[in-house]
Amino acid sequence: MPSNKSVSDAPIVQFTNCRILRDHQLQREDLWVREGKILNPEKLFFDEKGSADVQLDCKDSIIAPGFIDVQINGGFGVDFSLATDDFKSGIDLVSQKILSHGVTSFCPTLVTSPPSVYHQVLPQISVRNGGAHGAGILGAHLEGPFISKEKKGAHPEHCLRTFEAGAFQDLLATYGSLDCVRIVTLAPEMSRSSEVIRELTKRGICVSLGHSVANLSQAEEAVQHGATFITHLFNAMLPFHHRDPGIVGLLTSDKIPAGRRVFYGMISDGIHTNPAALRIAHRAHPKGLVLVTDAIAGMGLAPGRHTLGQQVVEIDGLNTYIAGTKTLSGSVATMDTCVRHFQEATGCSVETALEAASLHPAQLLGIEHKKGTLNYDSDADFLMLDDNLHVQATYIAGKEVWRRDAPGM
């Protein structure tokens, strides 16, 4: 059947012999793509009388939405919390390298830093689409410095700040600008945090609770003011206690406003969270689980000494510690590794594991109409994976940007 180009002259690509993750199920269908978007084949056949210009045999691969990493501090020797003259080339390198791990969009994350670092780095981060140059940038995730001293984790104590003086104005002065900011992690027990949460939410910025000693009622109050995320659940917060479960209690709280969902990040690297804790969280609140790498500059590098913002960290296998201590400091796990470990640890379905790294982070950021699904008219950012969830190829806007067997890969 000849192709009808009355709607668009762009070529139509048909991916055949594949299982597509759509509507929470792997479905044996073809995937149709034109101009970077996923097409509805029925409209194509019946309205346009069109057909494919190119057919690609996927050899029974799984096709899943591209992964979205909302907490990544760097990788491959690049530290997003270091103000350098070639910061742009660093972020470009990371965005290129994470394509092989199935990440098609990410939020570069800065840990607690002096104001001068935010003022220098944030203007160099710009929201952009992904492509052959690398994964898309959704905006920055600022983790700190408005966090608890008791639960600072790997964050430098001398850089921590409070809202005592000017609340939101203090935050603006610290960061310099919120233009490219997508997520802010803060401790909700801090004085005047409620007004800060309201102001950030009003600007469309996702507020995440973390590095905190908040009790459950403080956490619930933060959610009622607009917070929607928990930064790396279980890590850098009070441990679960049956009389006051703290932030962890949000997973089963009955005080969440109607129609609102609380999401929570999990570092599923086998180090930060015991598999039993991963299972508890997943069974308590499966639809809120968002896989994050929390990767640091040492991801993709040999063991040894690397940086995390103002601190020196030591990598020993999959463990990363603040040098000279046993304080965990980020991860060196890749997103595809986290997805596989999550599936193995929880025994969940392939679909569930894939959606924790794609659909859920997209829902958290309110971009599920464009990313995180393979619904018609959404962005054609997707992966081909084998049955063991190893990434075989990565596509952004319908174009192949990485392939396992490609020369030089």
Side-chain angles (χ1 to χ4, degrees), residues 104-105 126-131 133-137 370-371 379 396-397:
T104 54
S105 303
S126 49
V127 174
R128 68 180 187 207
N129 291 324
H133 58 274
I137 297 174
K370 294 189 297 189
K371 311 270 186 201
D379 294 351
I396 293 181

Side-chain angles (χ1 to χ4, degrees), residues 312-390:
V312 176
V313 299
E314 289 178 333
I315 297 177
D316 177 14
L318 279 178
N319 292 291
T320 64
Y321 301 113
I322 293 290
T325 75
K326 286 295 175 190
T327 301
L328 280 175
S329 57
S331 155
V332 288
T334 59
M335 183 57 93
D336 53 327
T337 306
C338 291
V339 170
R340 290 191 295 272
H341 180 263
F342 171 58
Q343 198 215 351
E344 190 182 327
T346 61
C348 71
S349 66
V350 163
E351 292 94 333
T352 297
L354 292 168
E355 287 188 341
S358 54
L359 175 62
H360 295 176
Q363 289 171 328
L364 165 72
L365 297 176
I367 55 172
E368 69 272 25
H369 58 292
K370 294 189 297 189
K371 311 270 186 201
T373 76
L374 298 177
N375 294 342
Y376 304 139
D377 297 323
S378 60
D379 294 351
D381 297 356
F382 58 89
L383 314 174
M384 285 187 195
L385 306 111
D386 65 18
D387 286 351
N388 297 317
L389 302 185
H390 290 276

Side-chain angles (χ1 to χ4, degrees), residues 9-86:
D9 288 333
I12 296 165
V13 183
Q14 177 188 8
F15 294 82
T16 67
N17 190 15
C18 52
R19 290 159 291 154
I20 301 173
L21 177 55
R22 188 176 279 150
D23 296 328
H24 318 296
Q25 294 289 322
L26 285 179
Q27 306 185 13
R28 196 163 275 290
E29 292 175 20
D30 293 352
L31 186 75
W32 299 75
V33 175
R34 175 172 62 197
E35 291 189 300
K37 300 283 183 189
I38 293 168
L39 284 182
N40 179 344
E42 285 195 12
K43 278 190 180 170
L44 177 66
F45 300 149
F46 296 115
D47 297 355
E48 298 182 38
K49 307 287 187 282
S51 63
D53 299 286
V54 181
Q55 282 190 326
L56 290 175
D57 182 349
C58 301
K59 301 181 177 158
D60 205 34
S61 294
I62 292 169
I63 291 192
F67 298 149
I68 298 169
D69 194 351
V70 299
Q71 188 176 7
I72 170 171
N73 310 292
F76 317 100
V78 175
D79 185 341
F80 296 147
S81 303
L82 284 184
T84 57
D85 295 335
D86 60 347

Side-chain angles (χ1 to χ4, degrees), residues 242-299:
H242 55 286
R243 276 192 290 278
D244 191 338
I247 290 177
V248 177
L250 287 175
L251 271 60
T252 56
S253 169
D254 58 359
K255 304 274 194 313
I256 309 299
R260 178 95 54 80
R261 183 185 304 177
V262 172
F263 293 89
Y264 58 97
M266 295 290 297
I267 310 169
S268 169
D269 61 354
I271 304 291
H272 279 76
T273 314
N274 184 283
L278 200 52
R279 288 191 286 274
I280 287 170
H282 176 244
R283 289 173 194 175
H285 184 27
K287 288 194 161 76
L289 194 147
V290 172
L291 291 176
V292 298
T293 60
D294 198 19
I296 62 170
M299 177 178 71

